Amino acid sequence: TLSLHDALPISTGAGDCFDAGFLYGWLSGTKPAQCLKAAVACGELSTRALGGIAGFPTKEELEKLLCAK
């Protein structure tokens, strides 16, 4: 169960970041399943900061997360 002290992700911009991750993979010539992994990773990373774009990952952060999964 959640308490008042648990941090909840901020989802503002997560959908936009998801789309950007998918397009990044697609325009890089990646297979659709890998594009979806990039999209999910971008959406996930975008929830780590307040605001619409503050949490958006860099290319390096995305690549690091994709290699770790």
Side-chain angles (χ1 to χ4, degrees), residues 24-48:
Y24 167 74
W26 186 261
L27 294 173
S28 298
T30 305
K31 293 182 180 182
Q34 287 302 112
C35 293
L36 188 55
K37 287 182 181 181
V40 169
C42 281
E44 175 186 342
L45 288 170
S46 74
T47 65
R48 61 196 166 152

Side-chain angles (χ1 to χ4, degrees), residues 32-66:
Q34 287 302 112
C35 293
L36 188 55
K37 287 182 181 181
V40 169
C42 281
E44 175 186 342
L45 288 170
S46 74
T47 65
R48 61 196 166 152
L50 293 174
I53 61 171
F56 281 16
T58 63
K59 179 180 174 184
E60 291 76 21
E61 291 170 326
L62 174 60
E63 298 290 335
K64 183 177 179 180
L65 182 62
L66 291 175

